[in-house]
Amino acid sequence: TQMSFVNDFVPTWRQALGLGLVFGVGAYAWKSIACPASGWCCRKKGATLANKQEHKSVYVLVVNLKFKEGGLSQFLEKWTELANHCLTNEPNTLTYELSRSEDNKNSILIFERYVKKEDLAVTHNTSRPFAALQKYLQETNIVEEKSVHGYYESNIGFMSK
């Protein structure tokens, strides 16, 4: 069964602060510009460490992008379309969040979590919205710097409280 974001998930205030999801909070290194329509990281109602659902070998992708002046605002609309696609069409995409740098208005971090690496390679990277975004970035040449790093979660700790 598919779950409704509004009815089945609730973002927590602590989580919002910890991830920098609150606008205008200057004390955090990253501030999110995204919302459930363009990225997400939330918890199931009543979740505890004892009953949290864990996926073994969750694959994490961390993408850092620095845009040329004016490029980020152009990128955000396209990225929001992709994030909406991920939310509604990629059940094994666990987290898909974009955050802005506190120190550089043209730099972002994208944090992605997948049940397994194949979900990134086979489902996400082959989707029409992902291909459209990649084509757009290539045609516009608005990215000045890019770094991409992949990780596997250890299952020690938690993503939200």
Side-chain angles (χ1 to χ4, degrees):
T1 60
Q2 215 170 11
M3 292 187 257
S4 159
F5 181 86
V6 174
N7 294 328
D8 294 331
F9 289 92
V10 290
T12 66
W13 188 246
R14 251 188 218 153
Q15 174 191 16
L17 287 174
L19 293 174
L21 298 176
V22 179
F23 288 93
V25 178
Y28 295 94
W30 294 95
K31 292 183 214 119
S32 174
I33 57 168
C35 65
S38 61
W40 66 93
C41 187
C42 55
R43 70 173 182 149
K44 183 97 168 120
K45 287 182 186 175
T48 67
L49 284 177
N51 69 10
K52 75 175 188 171
Q53 180 181 2
E54 288 188 50
H55 299 280
K56 302 300 179 202
S57 301
V58 167
Y59 187 72
V60 177
L61 192 70
V62 178
V63 180
N64 287 286
L65 298 172
K66 182 179 178 187
F67 292 88
K68 295 176 182 175
E69 195 64 41
L72 178 58
S73 60
Q74 297 172 30
F75 170 80
L76 293 178
E77 183 178 324
K78 300 288 186 185
W79 191 84
T80 299
E81 292 171 17
L82 176 57
N84 281 325
H85 170 83
C86 295
L87 182 60
T88 58
N89 297 291
E90 296 182 12
N92 287 345
T93 300
L94 302 173
T95 303
Y96 201 70
E97 183 63 64
L98 183 151
S99 299
R100 291 183 86 156
S101 170
E102 179 178 48
D103 300 323
N104 185 326
K105 68 179 182 172
N106 294 315
S107 293
I108 63 167
L109 175 136
I110 298 173
F111 185 76
E112 307 173 31
R113 294 175 65 240
Y114 300 90
V115 172
K116 54 188 184 290
K117 187 174 183 178
E118 292 76 25
D119 297 317
L120 168 66
V122 175
T123 304
H124 181 71
N125 287 352
T126 61
S127 72
R128 185 172 292 159
F130 181 80
L133 179 63
Q134 294 305 307
K135 181 180 178 189
Y136 173 78
L137 290 175
Q138 189 174 33
E139 289 173 353
T140 59
N141 195 32
I142 58 175
V143 175
E144 192 173 277
E145 294 176 23
K146 176 181 178 180
S147 70
V148 180
H149 302 281
Y151 303 89
Y152 288 96
E153 286 185 358
S154 66
N155 289 316
I156 301 170
F158 53 91
M159 287 300 300
S160 66
K161 286 170 67 170

